[in-house]
Amino acid sequence: MEQLSVIVESLCLQGTGNLAVSLQRPTPGEPLPEWQAGAHIDVHLAPGLIRQYSLTGSDEDRHRYHICVALDAASRGGSRYIHQQLRPGDRLTISPPRNLFALQPAKRVVLIAAGIGITPLYAMALQLEKQGIAFTLHYYCRRAEQAAYRQALSGDWHYGRCHLWYSDKGNSPRQHIAADVTEPQDDTLIYLCGPEGFMQHQQAVALAYGWPAQAIYTEAFKPAALTEQSGDNGSFMITLASTGQQWPVAPSQTIAEVLIEQGVSVPLSCEMGMCGACLTGVTAGVVDHRDTVQSEEEKTAARQQIALCCSRSHSDVLVLDL
Ligand code: FES
């Protein structure tokens, strides 16, 4: 995939512990590719350190991308690097925006975020406002001073309402249920973004109140796939639909590893089933899905895709559209 060169234009605090980073092209005035709310980019921070971040803010500014990164105590390197080493003027390589969490047509939208999960949902709120679609945004934070984009969210919105809920005021996501969730409505979709436990809890609450599963969209920004590998890690064969070449995948290998070993190029990024970079069509066989980027609907659709970095096969042979 074509990569883009950008420079860090600015870093600024956006709520305690969050750094908002704006990126622009090195050549002044050169536009960046268009994007829509829900999109993310891969950011190559240092050799071997590639992280996915949702784009945030308005999609109307074609000359800069905004991301916002929380300092994570359990950082695997990305958040720590951004908070401690990244400086204005640094040059970075990024991927073009990829959207696996796009807004779908609806009359009304409920956005529910926790922590830094606000980033794609803030962009969605701005997009819905622009399109004149009614929405409500619920944003859960531990304390008011930690909220990102608090001033903008607390301002006037024509088509939406934004509610900020704070755990230290007794409104943690476990204690508080948004009124919108207790009243399922037709033509309304829910979008969730936050830590995995928060998303699972919100999803379970919405389902319990009668929301259909297909009305709920989620974006995890922590790898859930690592805890979901309950399937049998047996061996199986993969076949390339174009050439008929066939190779075994041992229990200790991923499909991506086998393909790369055989000289087939695989676009890898997160390698945890989170980003969708390696999604590839499957023309025959039964996929053992272990990624978190695809919805349940996509995982059971007639035409399926497989995350080559982590998913496996329930059938003896899997034919890849390669
Ligand atoms: S590389 Fe990210 S889903 Fe496979």
Side-chain angles (χ1 to χ4, degrees), residues 56-58 121-131 135 157:
T56 192
S58 164
L121 300 199
Y122 174 45
M124 285 182 177
L126 292 169
Q127 189 174 313
L128 292 164
E129 177 82 355
K130 192 171 72 181
Q131 293 172 340
F135 70 93
W157 297 79

Side-chain angles (χ1 to χ4, degrees), residues 52 98 267-279 291 293 307-310:
Q52 289 73 44
R98 189 185 299 123
L268 287 177
S269 179
C270 71
E271 298 187 56
M272 287 184 296
M274 290 168 59
C275 73
C278 66
L279 285 175
D291 65 277
V293 294
L308 299 174
C309 64
C310 61

Side-chain angles (χ1 to χ4, degrees), residues 30-31 63 68 82 98 103 118 134 150 156 169 171 241 295:
E30 193 182 341
H63 294 97
C68 188
I82 287 178
R98 189 185 299 123
L103 282 166
I118 189 63
R150 181 158 57 126
D156 287 335
K169 301 274 187 249
N171 285 314
S295 66

Side-chain angles (χ1 to χ4, degrees), residues 29 32 44-46 49 60 65 72 74 79 82 104 114 116 144 154 156 170 188 208 225-227 234 258 266 270:
L32 286 157
H44 299 244
L45 292 164
L49 191 60
E60 281 183 345
Y65 288 155
D72 180 356
S79 124
I82 287 178
Q104 304 299 320
I116 203 63
S154 309
D156 287 335
T188 301
L226 301 180
T227 57
V258 172
V266 178
C270 71

Side-chain angles (χ1 to χ4, degrees), residues 165-226:
W165 305 105
Y166 304 120
S167 301
D168 67 349
K169 301 274 187 249
N171 285 314
S172 77
R174 298 255 163 210
Q175 295 162 310
H176 176 266
I177 299 177
D180 303 271
V181 176
T182 63
E183 295 156 7
Q185 291 184 14
D186 292 340
D187 296 326
T188 301
L189 297 176
I190 296 181
Y191 292 82
L192 304 172
C193 190
E196 187 58 26
F198 162 81
M199 312 245 297
Q200 282 174 3
H201 175 73
Q202 293 294 331
Q203 218 167 352
V205 171
L207 291 172
Y209 275 101
W211 288 86
Q214 63 273 21
I216 306 168
Y217 291 81
T218 62
E219 166 146 290
F221 57 95
K222 284 263 157 76
L226 301 180

Side-chain angles (χ1 to χ4, degrees), residues 101-321:
F101 191 45
L103 282 166
Q104 304 299 320
K107 263 200 186 145
R108 210 178 143 260
V109 173
V110 179
L111 308 168
I112 309 179
I116 203 63
I118 189 63
T119 53
L121 300 199
Y122 174 45
M124 285 182 177
L126 292 169
Q127 189 174 313
L128 292 164
E129 177 82 355
K130 192 171 72 181
Q131 293 172 340
I133 296 171
F135 70 93
T136 312
L137 182 146
H138 296 274
Y139 176 18
Y140 293 93
C141 276
R142 286 210 184 89
R143 290 186 292 279
E145 62 269 24
Q146 291 179 334
Y149 307 108
R150 181 158 57 126
Q151 213 179 342
L153 293 171
S154 309
D156 287 335
W157 297 79
H158 277 301
Y159 296 95
R161 279 175 299 134
C162 300
H163 302 279
L164 283 73
W165 305 105
Y166 304 120
S167 301
D168 67 349
K169 301 274 187 249
N171 285 314
S172 77
R174 298 255 163 210
Q175 295 162 310
H176 176 266
I177 299 177
D180 303 271
V181 176
T182 63
E183 295 156 7
Q185 291 184 14
D186 292 340
D187 296 326
T188 301
L189 297 176
I190 296 181
Y191 292 82
L192 304 172
C193 190
E196 187 58 26
F198 162 81
M199 312 245 297
Q200 282 174 3
H201 175 73
Q202 293 294 331
Q203 218 167 352
V205 171
L207 291 172
Y209 275 101
W211 288 86
Q214 63 273 21
I216 306 168
Y217 291 81
T218 62
E219 166 146 290
F221 57 95
K222 284 263 157 76
L226 301 180
T227 57
E228 276 178 10
Q229 296 181 359
S230 54
D232 168 21
N233 259 15
S235 55
F236 55 94
M237 298 295 288
I238 47 169
T239 302
L240 302 193
S242 59
T243 60
Q245 284 167 293
Q246 212 171 43
W247 302 292
V249 179
S252 59
Q253 292 175 298
T254 65
I255 300 176
E257 283 167 356
V258 172
L259 289 171
I260 290 166
E261 233 174 67
Q262 298 299 333
V264 180
S265 111
V266 178
L268 287 177
S269 179
C270 71
E271 298 187 56
M272 287 184 296
M274 290 168 59
C275 73
C278 66
L279 285 175
T280 298
V282 174
T283 58
V286 184
V287 182
D288 175 5
H289 289 288
R290 297 181 180 196
D291 65 277
T292 51
V293 294
Q294 299 187 92
S295 66
E296 281 315 305
E297 252 178 8
E298 287 166 326
K299 288 178 183 175
T300 51
R303 289 180 67 83
Q304 290 190 26
Q305 293 196 295
I306 183 170
L308 299 174
C309 64
C310 61
S311 293
R312 305 189 66 81
S313 179
H314 284 305
S315 51
D316 294 339
V317 180
L318 209 55
V319 184
L320 304 173
D321 194 8

